[in-house]
Amino acid sequence: MRNTVRLFDFSKKINYKNEILAGFTVAMTMIPESLSFAILAGLSPLIGLYAAFMMGLVTAVLGGRPGMVSGGAGATIVVLIALIKSHGVEYLFATVVLAGIFQLMVGVFKLGKFVRLIPQPVMYGFLNGLAVIIFMAQVEQFKFTDANGTVNWLQGSALYIMAGLTALTIAIVYFFPKITKAVPASLVAIIVVFAVVLGFDINTKTVADIANISGNLPVFHIPAIPFSLETLQIIFPYAMIMAGVGLIESLLTLSMVDEITDSKGSANKESVAQGLANITNGFFGGMGGCAMVAQTLVNLNAGSRARLSGIFASITILIIILVGAPFIEKIPMAALVGVMMMVAISTFQWVSIRIVNKMPKSDIFVGITVALITVLLHNLALAVLVGVIIAALVFAWDNAKRIRARQYTDENGIKNYEITGPLFFGSVTAFTDQFDPKNDPDEVVVDFKESRIVDMSAIDALDKLSKKYSQLNKKLVLKHLSEDCRKMLENAEVVIAVDVEKDPTYKVMAGKL
């Protein structure tokens, strides 16, 4: 008999078996990733596990998309590495709180829909750059710091053991799913490599060599930083970047889940949940995070369609923190390095290389630019912003070339200009060049049936054009202006003759785009 008990805002019947198994599987795949990213950022692995627990729990309960999984994701922590190195972990916690506040405001003011403005080439570049960062960070684990503080590459047997165990991990993660997908390949790889190291008493770098984990409950803690304008100046840009990256990844993951499940999630509700989760992280010692694409796919593939799996996954991680610390500390670093290298390989959008000869050159340029900024500056939000700006400018340039004017003189001797294409800042010059005020007759009609006045530059161009005709004692009439275009002209107080009688009323959709 199917259960119909509902938890929180469940709207569908829950399959408890699927939800619990999916939650356990998600927890097992989140742990190595959260540990790896915390270590990558020079933090205690426990800070990564706390983030996985708190992000997962808060977003599972309050998020805008059942079935979506959030945790201590790499995209958000990568942008904070420079801050952690220069100012320490307390500044990290303060930044996570501020980033959470920004995300909360995005949800409250219903700005989540703007993530739709990110073009596909920007996403390709973003994910490819992130993949390179994650992969190169794993290479750093093949180095060690000697007694003098000098960083050197591992040599001899230490290098061979590390490389061999990493290769074994990669092989298991790659080939195991071909045998069965019932158990996460990354979990199997970690267990096998752990057993090999333990069974053969191999001396290699473990999590304990990086940092010790004390398995306690997260404790409320106000970040120990000076509450001053100078501190705000330090953390503000990092918080903005983290908030932007976290929301971009979370809302794009939400869109992906919408497509897979053929249902609709709430971007604004998810933004609020991400913000509250990060605020909780900052005050309870977590490194912050966002939605995790890989874990979300694991969750959906395991049959989850409700919130219970995310809640169960978070509680599982908490139990592991409390009683599993001695085991986690013995995990070989090679196993985590191998898992993260495979995460990087799967994050890389290989399809972007396969279709590169079919993409417009401008899209290729955008993708490469975004990837380079991501890799060189570790600033994912800046990379996405630059990519969106370039894509917008390319779009503007393409549309600027579309403006056309068909000219003819009717039986009454009136010159008609039928405009095709949008009139905006990019096309005003081409638009103005179509007219010949000196040689035109006394009355000229500009037909906007196939065009639209888009911005202030367009209004200014029309104003200047009307004045040119007016100075020559000629009449310029605008025809077939849509309602919103006429309102723009009225609001701008441009003195211009509009043939209102001949204009049909065009309804323009308001509200959601």
Side-chain angles (χ1 to χ4, degrees), residues 343-406:
V343 167
I345 291 167
S346 63
T347 300
F348 195 91
Q349 300 295 294
W350 300 100
V351 67
S352 64
I353 295 176
R354 288 202 301 273
I355 65 170
V356 71
N357 60 335
K358 299 174 184 177
M359 293 167 67
K361 289 179 182 178
S362 58
D363 284 354
I364 297 168
F365 175 72
V366 167
I368 292 172
T369 302
V370 172
L372 285 175
I373 294 173
T374 303
V375 172
L376 298 176
L377 301 181
H378 285 210
N379 190 332
L380 284 78
L382 176 64
V384 170
L385 181 63
V386 169
V388 169
I389 290 171
I390 295 172
L393 290 174
V394 169
F395 175 79
W397 176 255
D398 287 343
N399 276 277
K401 294 185 292 185
R402 294 177 190 276
I403 194 104
R404 296 283 186 275
R406 190 173 79 86

Side-chain angles (χ1 to χ4, degrees), residues 6-12 60-66 269 307:
R6 296 185 180 187
L7 179 61
F8 301 103
D9 64 344
F10 283 170
S11 57
K12 295 182 180 179
V61 174
L62 302 174
R65 174 73 269 176
K269 192 174 179 183
R307 299 181 185 273

Side-chain angles (χ1 to χ4, degrees), residues 407-425:
Q407 305 174 24
Y408 67 92
T409 304
D410 63 19
E411 65 275 8
N412 298 318
I414 298 172
K415 181 82 171 280
N416 286 263
Y417 288 86
E418 291 183 350
I419 308 301
T420 306
L423 182 57
F424 67 112
F425 69 90

Side-chain angles (χ1 to χ4, degrees), residues 141-347:
Q141 295 299 332
F142 287 85
K143 298 177 181 178
F144 71 98
T145 306
D146 61 20
N148 300 322
T150 308
V151 178
N152 299 299
W153 288 93
L154 292 173
Q155 292 181 342
S157 61
L159 175 62
Y160 301 140
I161 290 168
M162 185 79 172
L165 292 173
T166 302
L168 175 61
T169 306
I170 291 171
I172 294 170
V173 173
Y174 181 78
F175 289 108
F176 190 78
K178 299 180 187 300
I179 302 168
T180 177
K181 293 182 180 178
V183 185
S186 57
L187 177 64
V188 173
I190 290 169
I191 292 170
V192 169
V193 173
F194 184 77
V196 168
V197 169
L198 211 61
F200 291 95
D201 195 24
I202 297 171
N203 182 24
T204 186
K205 192 193 290 187
T206 64
V207 172
D209 294 324
I210 308 297
N212 293 316
I213 300 173
S214 59
N216 299 314
L217 283 167
V219 179
F220 181 78
H221 161 75
I222 295 173
I225 57 167
F227 289 91
S228 64
L229 187 60
E230 185 183 353
T231 301
L232 184 62
Q233 287 173 338
I234 293 167
I235 68 172
F236 186 88
Y238 286 101
M240 284 290 287
I241 293 165
M242 179 187 161
V245 169
L247 281 185
I248 287 166
E249 188 151 336
S250 299
L251 298 182
L252 287 170
T253 304
L254 183 140
S255 298
M256 176 193 77
V257 180
D258 283 352
E259 287 182 24
I260 292 171
T261 60
D262 194 24
S263 58
K264 188 72 176 171
S266 169
N268 295 317
K269 192 174 179 183
E270 185 61 36
S271 300
V272 170
Q274 291 288 330
L276 290 172
N278 275 315
I279 291 168
T280 305
N281 260 284
F283 284 123
F284 284 89
M287 67 181 184
C290 62
M292 303 176 84
V293 180
Q295 280 68 23
T296 298
L297 289 172
V298 165
N299 193 37
L300 296 175
N301 292 338
S304 171
R305 290 295 181 273
R307 299 181 185 273
L308 188 59
S309 61
I311 296 167
F312 187 79
S314 301
I315 292 170
T316 302
I317 291 169
L318 179 62
I319 292 168
I320 289 169
I321 290 171
L322 297 176
V323 300
F327 302 102
I328 291 171
E329 288 181 0
K330 291 178 183 176
I331 294 174
M333 279 304 299
L336 297 184
V337 167
V339 166
M340 290 308 295
M341 283 184 169
M342 288 305 290
V343 167
I345 291 167
S346 63
T347 300

